[in-house]
Amino acid sequence: MSRIQATFQALQTQGKKGLITFMTAGDPEPEWTVQLMHVLADNGADVIELGIPFSDPMADGPVIQRASERALAKGVNLPQVLTYVSEFRRTNAHTPIVLMGYANPIERMGLDMFTQCAAEAGVDGALIVDYPIEECEGFVKSMRTHCLDPIFLLAPTSTDERILAVARVATGYLYYVSLIGVTGAGSLDIEAVGARIPALRAAAKLPIGVGFGIRDAKSARAIASVADAVVIGSAIVQCLEENTFPDRGSEKAFQSLTEFMTDIRNALDE
């Protein structure tokens, strides 16, 4: 049983909703990355999505775009991201890590090399935004060879045929995009999200995480009423961005992230 599967089974047994968190590797400071991953895990994150910095993150809004730019400017690349995961695994063997990013860095490394190195580092899955389901046969095969979960996005515009196509190959969980647009944009329509969930459940026997537009405890709790997990990314990256000061070290950023995570976790557990 994979770490992702075990995590969601435990949540179901406990009657709890999952919290999937996103942060960009290397941001706001490369040397903080592993510590920040532990802050997330120690304060209620059930799964950590670790963003691979990329120069043209087309699905991401300005908050995550800036994070990628900062990380790239400090030399953070895919091999370094895998090093962060290896270091995290020295003291945390249970929290699933999902790499999230774009195809270019993976293609440059080589798909089979990527999946092998990811598995060796302790990665559990990957969500590569621009590996479309119609062209992902090699990606899925390589992931499965190394016992990694291929995770895919579904959106309000996804047709029934596309949902079924994703359901045939996805493992781990489904990531449902709550709105049409980029990360951190738009406003949530809980009723619309709830109306789409039954079709996803009918197609795939996987947990459903909902992301894009979840920014606080109130919106997280609302989404948790219709989904198995909430995915929070831009709000976390923005929290770090707003609380990082060149002359003050990491204390303020870590404290602010801890407080943010506590609020979200408490809201989900109420």
Side-chain angles (χ1 to χ4, degrees):
M1 182 185 298
S2 72
R3 264 187 287 253
I4 294 175
Q5 184 180 6
T7 294
F8 278 103
Q9 282 194 4
L11 287 167
Q12 184 177 33
T13 299
Q14 297 163 17
K16 297 175 66 175
K17 295 303 178 83
L19 176 53
I20 303 172
T21 58
F22 171 92
M23 61 171 283
T24 300
D27 181 67
E29 298 291 345
E31 61 269 24
W32 297 1
T33 295
V34 176
Q35 291 173 277
L36 287 170
M37 293 170 69
H38 282 295
V39 171
L40 294 174
D42 293 345
N43 290 281
D46 297 297
V47 178
I48 297 173
E49 292 181 346
L50 189 61
I52 303 167
F54 182 55
S55 58
D56 188 23
M58 66 189 77
D60 294 302
V63 171
I64 294 177
Q65 287 180 20
R66 290 194 299 269
S68 272
E69 289 169 1
R70 289 190 293 265
L72 289 171
K74 294 172 181 176
V76 178
N77 55 20
L78 178 52
Q80 183 62 53
V81 174
L82 296 175
T83 299
Y84 293 144
V85 177
S86 295
E87 187 174 341
F88 177 79
R89 281 284 173 245
R90 293 174 190 169
T91 50
N92 184 313
H94 63 275
T95 302
I97 301 296
V98 173
L99 297 185
M100 188 168 183
Y102 298 83
N104 291 52
I106 293 170
E107 293 293 325
R108 182 176 180 180
M109 176 180 281
L111 180 56
D112 290 337
M113 179 62 71
F114 164 72
T115 52
Q116 178 182 338
C117 291
E120 291 172 354
V123 171
D124 300 283
L127 195 170
I128 308 304
V129 176
D130 48 353
Y131 273 155
I133 193 66
E134 296 84 0
E135 301 173 15
C136 71
E137 183 177 350
F139 170 64
V140 170
K141 181 179 179 181
S142 189
M143 291 284 285
R144 288 180 174 170
T145 296
H146 295 283
C147 300
L148 299 173
D149 286 319
I151 297 167
F152 291 90
L153 295 172
L154 288 168
T157 54
S158 296
T159 63
D160 290 342
E161 291 77 13
R162 189 172 187 83
I163 292 171
L164 288 172
V166 167
R168 282 193 289 268
V169 298
T171 58
Y173 57 90
L174 294 178
Y175 187 138
Y176 180 69
V177 176
S178 64
L179 47 85
I180 299 172
V182 295
T183 57
S187 57
L188 287 170
D189 184 339
I190 306 301
E191 185 176 346
V193 173
R196 291 289 282 164
I197 297 297
L200 304 183
R201 295 200 190 283
K205 307 306 179 185
L206 292 173
I208 299 169
V210 176
F212 284 44
I214 303 171
R215 304 196 58 80
D216 52 27
K218 181 179 179 181
S219 55
R221 184 166 54 242
I223 286 295
S225 69
V226 297
D228 301 304
V230 300
V231 187
I232 302 182
S234 292
I236 288 173
V237 176
Q238 186 170 2
C239 174
L240 293 172
E241 181 180 54
E242 293 176 350
N243 291 281
T244 297
F245 306 96
D247 59 340
R248 295 177 60 179
S250 62
E251 182 177 353
K252 178 62 174 174
F254 283 34
Q255 178 184 353
S256 298
L257 181 58
T258 298
E259 292 170 356
F260 178 83
M261 287 291 297
T262 299
D263 287 345
I264 300 295
R265 186 73 260 177
N266 287 343
L268 294 181
D269 291 345
E270 287 177 355

